[in-house]
Amino acid sequence: MTSSGGATGIGRHFEKGKKKKKIPPRRRRRRRQRRLRPELSARRGASGRARSAGQAPSRATAMAGAGGGGCPAGGNDFQWCFSQVKGAVDEDVAEADIISTVEFNYSGDLLATGDKGGRVVIFQREQENKSRPHSRGEYNVYSTFQSHEPEFDYLKSLEIEEKINKIRWLPQQNAAHFLLSTNDKTIKLWKISERDKRAEGYNLKDEDGRLRDPFRITALRVPILKPMDLMVEASPRRIFANAHMYHISSISVNSDHETYLSADDLRINLWHLEITDRSFNIVDIKPANMEELTEVITAAAFHPHQCNVFVYSSSKGTIWLCDMRSSALCDRHSKFFEEPEDPSSRSFFSEIISFISDVKFSHSGRYMMTRDYLSVKVWDLNMENRPVETHQVHEYLRSKLCSLYENDCIFDKFECCWNGSDSAIMTGSYNNFFRMFDRNTRRDVTLEASRENSKPRASLKPRKVCTGGKRKKDEISVDSLDFNKKILHTAWHPVENIIAVAATNNLYIFQDKIN
């Protein structure tokens, strides 16, 4: 190595006309470290900039995409803030007003909720105000209709509740929107369309709708369209009934947009959206002797991209992945997902808390997520023996399982959802708490849906539960949790950081706070 400027680098010890100066080993090490410091600092700075720019070659960062990324814990990227709340403030909540399902459509512009009274309420996102570019469009009521009515099965002497169990949107093909809604027995396909014009000038009827005498018609008129106030109509296009002996727990639209599945406790049926009088039974776990029944189907879902693949979960905490190309009746699974149980931790409640209440594929189709009573697990479809991630939702309730069993809260069925980039997941808990887990940073946060924090753009403060010992100022004791306030149903906007949380009869909408 040479230097043109004189004594730099090693060349400083070989100046012309001078002998080599002998340097002690300790001083040589110090000089070598001093020379390397700028290079190491530059490397650290470059690697830090690459990580901040999302260029780190890790699996988690590679999964984070546009729309819905960031830190759900409200860290350096953004914070969650209050946006809206829908519903009455009454202390005495009617049973029919309790929200039973929440679902965004594929674009996120529509948000549908179903309640125990059989009603479906659809909210539409308003267009952003150009005069206020930083304001976000709010969701306002778009349409309300009665989807199901209470019925009575005279053959079995059973009442069929009108409660909406699930709502699933179909991809939009034209100006109208279509959705599937189901109660315990009947699935309905609804068309939601707009009408802002009406026809006038009929020949055979008057303007008030009464028929005219044909013999008094002396001239023919051509009907014309006149503008009218916008009216949103919801009409049932198909009714799929009489195919399930047990309560329907899940419906899932296939990626071919032509078929969907419906699952009850023991069977899964495949339907075509245009055919209502027959369906195909693709899974049947009913034993010949019902006394030998050991488990039931709890949830089912189609793969988001492969129309022949679906999964279903059981009350024992197992998940089956089936391929409809193998046989007409998928009684043999292609893959079987189960986490081995630790014998030392087995208890009376082990089978109850392993009950899978929800299963969801990631948007990419590479992973799936399951929710049991105490945790959320993320599975890689290529690894069956154990989940790749396990997130504890409310582990502090493990010591309270006996009291939760007595008040039946241990049988609550919590749902879970992904954000748009599959980098974060969300699920509910008690005391109107809901949990978020960032899969990239491994951070988690507990937030609360409460009217006390319902000021516009008010940031949500993380909540902490104290399990024992001295309680801090901002913590809440596990003994003070209200188990009547529970968040079972949540939904995440498919593109943006907007979430909908159902708390009893109220629907809370939160969004990320952008400065």
Side-chain angles (χ1 to χ4, degrees):
M1 180 181 293
T2 60
S3 176
S4 61
T8 58
I10 303 177
R12 78 176 70 161
H13 306 306
F14 297 94
E15 295 182 5
K16 188 175 181 181
K18 293 185 180 181
K19 293 184 178 180
K20 180 179 177 182
K21 187 177 179 181
K22 192 173 182 180
I23 303 174
R26 184 179 299 176
R27 193 180 299 174
R28 283 202 299 269
R29 284 197 300 269
R30 289 176 182 171
R31 290 185 178 180
R32 190 182 302 114
Q33 292 174 359
R34 202 177 296 123
R35 291 197 306 271
L36 291 174
R37 274 175 195 159
E39 183 180 353
L40 292 174
S41 300
R43 288 182 181 177
R44 291 193 191 102
S47 62
R49 288 190 297 271
R51 283 194 298 270
S52 63
Q55 298 171 1
S58 62
R59 176 188 63 83
T61 308
M63 288 170 49
C71 172
N76 297 327
D77 296 328
F78 65 83
Q79 289 183 331
W80 288 102
C81 68
F82 173 83
S83 178
Q84 293 174 270
V85 60
K86 306 289 185 180
V89 197
D90 300 338
E91 292 291 335
D92 297 330
V93 179
E95 184 77 11
D97 295 334
I98 296 177
I99 299 175
S100 56
T101 183
V102 181
E103 187 78 9
F104 279 102
N105 73 336
Y106 282 78
S107 65
D109 293 334
L110 297 179
L111 173 63
T113 64
D115 60 26
K116 291 188 175 182
R119 296 181 297 267
V120 172
V121 181
I122 300 176
F123 301 91
Q124 185 185 44
R125 192 179 186 187
E126 301 295 335
Q127 297 295 326
E128 295 186 10
N129 193 344
K130 294 183 179 179
S131 62
R132 299 171 58 197
H134 295 289
S135 66
R136 317 293 274 299
E138 293 186 345
Y139 286 86
N140 295 319
V141 175
Y142 179 64
S143 177
T144 303
F145 58 93
Q146 187 73 28
S147 175
H148 288 73
E149 300 281 356
E151 301 176 23
F152 189 80
D153 189 340
Y154 293 96
L155 294 177
K156 298 181 179 180
S157 298
L158 292 175
E159 292 184 357
I160 302 174
E161 294 182 349
E162 65 271 30
K163 170 192 169 187
I164 306 298
N165 292 338
K166 296 290 180 183
I167 290 176
R168 291 292 180 264
W169 290 91
L170 273 66
Q172 187 176 5
Q173 306 291 343
N174 48 40
H177 299 274
F178 291 86
L179 63 83
L180 290 168
S181 63
T182 181
N183 65 350
D184 288 339
K185 298 290 184 180
T186 305
I187 307 166
K188 295 184 180 182
L189 174 64
W190 291 89
K191 177 184 178 182
I192 296 92
S193 56
E194 297 180 354
R195 190 172 66 174
D196 58 357
K197 294 181 176 62
R198 68 174 184 269
E200 291 185 359
Y202 288 103
N203 290 289
L204 298 179
K205 62 181 180 181
D206 295 325
E207 301 301 330
D208 56 1
R210 291 183 298 178
L211 294 177
R212 299 173 61 188
D213 186 358
F215 295 102
R216 295 184 179 181
I217 299 175
T218 58
L220 292 177
R221 295 183 296 177
V222 178
I224 59 175
L225 293 176
K226 288 189 175 181
M228 58 176 285
D229 293 336
L230 179 65
M231 183 172 61
V232 181
E233 295 178 326
S235 55
R237 307 297 291 177
R238 305 280 187 275
I239 297 178
F240 309 89
N242 305 320
H244 286 278
M245 293 182 59
Y246 307 96
H247 293 175
I248 299 173
S249 59
S250 299
I251 53 175
S252 179
V253 180
N254 200 347
S255 60
D256 62 9
H257 305 159
E258 294 182 353
T259 57
Y260 73 94
L261 64 78
S262 59
D264 62 21
D265 294 336
L266 298 178
R267 294 186 178 97
I268 299 177
N269 293 335
L270 179 68
W271 298 84
H272 194 282
L273 289 168
E274 300 294 332
I275 302 173
T276 61
D277 58 351
R278 66 181 181 272
S279 62
F280 298 95
N281 180 231
I282 54 177
V283 173
D284 189 349
I285 66 170
K286 182 179 179 180
N289 184 4
M290 286 297 287
E291 294 180 358
E292 299 175 358
L293 182 66
T294 59
E295 59 185 338
V296 296
I297 299 172
T298 59
F302 265 121
H303 192 278
H305 307 301
Q306 301 176 19
C307 61
N308 53 284
V309 176
F310 69 95
V311 296
Y312 65 95
S313 58
S314 80
S315 55
K316 283 188 173 182
T318 55
I319 309 106
W320 288 270
L321 186 142
C322 301
D323 191 337
M324 291 190 293
R325 296 174 300 183
S326 60
S327 63
L329 182 63
C330 299
D331 50 357
R332 294 184 180 180
H333 55 267
S334 299
K335 291 188 177 182
F336 178 73
F337 300 85
E338 183 180 23
E339 184 178 19
E341 183 184 9
D342 185 5
S344 61
S345 62
R346 183 166 181 79
S347 67
F348 171 78
F349 305 105
S350 295
E351 189 168 329
I352 300 176
I353 63 177
S354 65
F355 182 103
I356 294 178
S357 55
D358 195 15
V359 56
K360 295 276 178 63
F361 277 106
S362 63
H363 295 86
S364 65
R366 170 70 185 275
Y367 301 93
M368 66 178 174
M369 171 174 54
T370 59
R371 171 67 204 266
D372 56 40
Y373 188 69
L374 294 179
S375 64
V376 173
K377 297 175 182 176
V378 178
W379 302 78
D380 190 327
L381 296 188
N382 298 325
M383 188 169 69
E384 307 174 42
N385 57 347
R386 61 184 176 86
V388 293
E389 299 170 19
T390 300
H391 304 280
Q392 300 299 333
V393 178
H394 38 221
E395 183 65 20
Y396 48 79
L397 295 181
R398 189 175 291 274
S399 60
K400 303 286 183 180
L401 292 179
C402 186
S403 58
L404 292 170
Y405 179 78
E406 292 176 356
N407 60 18
D408 287 343
C409 286
I410 200 172
F411 302 106
D412 287 334
K413 299 176 181 179
F414 293 92
E415 296 178 1
C416 53
C417 60
W418 301 85
N419 72 335
S421 63
D422 301 332
S423 61
I425 54 182
M426 175 176 61
T427 189
S429 182
Y430 293 104
N431 206 72
N432 277 1
F433 289 168
F434 58 98
R435 301 270 285 143
M436 287 186 171
F437 303 93
D438 192 317
R439 301 181 60 213
N440 296 341
T441 62
R442 302 297 181 182
R443 289 188 293 176
D444 62 90
V445 67
T446 301
L447 302 174
E448 182 181 9
S450 171
R451 286 185 177 268
E452 296 177 359
N453 301 323
S454 59
K455 296 180 181 179
R457 312 293 295 171
S459 298
L460 299 184
K461 296 181 179 180
R463 303 301 305 270
K464 292 184 178 181
V465 178
C466 176
T467 57
K470 190 175 181 180
R471 182 171 62 88
K472 296 181 181 180
K473 181 181 179 181
D474 297 333
E475 292 181 344
I476 181 172
S477 173
V478 67
D479 298 322
S480 304
L481 297 176
D482 189 349
F483 293 103
N484 293 320
K485 295 180 179 179
K486 61 191 76 172
I487 292 180
L488 303 177
H489 315 286
T490 58
W492 204 312
H493 192 285
V495 179
E496 302 181 32
N497 281 316
I498 300 175
I499 57 175
V501 174
T504 317
N505 66 322
N506 293 319
L507 178 69
Y508 291 86
I509 299 176
F510 303 102
Q511 63 186 15
D512 60 329
K513 190 171 186 178
I514 298 180
N515 298 322

